[in-house]
Amino acid sequence: MSVINTRAVEPLYIVILRNQQAESLLKNWVREHRVEHTSVNGNRLMIHHQNAFDRFLLTWSHNWDLVTVWDTWNRRHIYVN
């Protein structure tokens, strides 16, 4: 009998943007930086690969005070200054 691993489809990180235009800002960021392994759902950016998260940290040019990052693997928030 095999065990189904549900973590394979879970994102590694969930970026939550508290902004009225969050979905369009996140989609524009994904398109501009040609980032794969992501999906946008409302004000949430689901990141499925570590390189995509690293790129987000380096290239996000909007207000960091409106960003919350949830690490799904470690079940904790990541505070970005």
Side-chain angles (χ1 to χ4, degrees):
M1 178 181 232
S2 65
V3 177
I4 298 173
N5 186 359
T6 57
R7 284 197 179 265
V9 295
E10 267 186 40
L12 294 176
Y13 303 99
I14 301 173
V15 176
I16 303 165
L17 180 60
R18 294 178 310 275
N19 187 320
Q20 291 179 350
Q21 302 160 346
E23 187 170 13
S24 65
L25 288 172
L26 292 170
K27 285 182 178 181
N28 285 340
W29 178 83
V30 169
R31 186 176 49 254
E32 285 177 15
H33 296 283
R34 298 181 184 139
V35 179
E36 296 179 4
H37 309 292
T38 62
S39 61
V40 176
N41 185 5
N43 68 335
R44 297 174 188 262
L45 170 66
M46 276 61 95
I47 300 176
H48 298 272
H49 196 275
Q50 183 65 44
N51 288 340
F53 181 64
D54 293 341
R55 183 176 283 181
F56 179 81
L57 292 177
L58 292 172
T59 61
W60 183 252
S61 60
H62 300 286
N63 188 352
W64 281 103
D65 293 334
L66 303 177
V67 174
T68 303
V69 179
W70 177 252
D71 182 344
T72 61
W73 186 262
N74 293 311
R75 298 186 185 271
R76 65 182 175 95
H77 284 98
I78 297 174
Y79 297 98
V80 183
N81 299 28

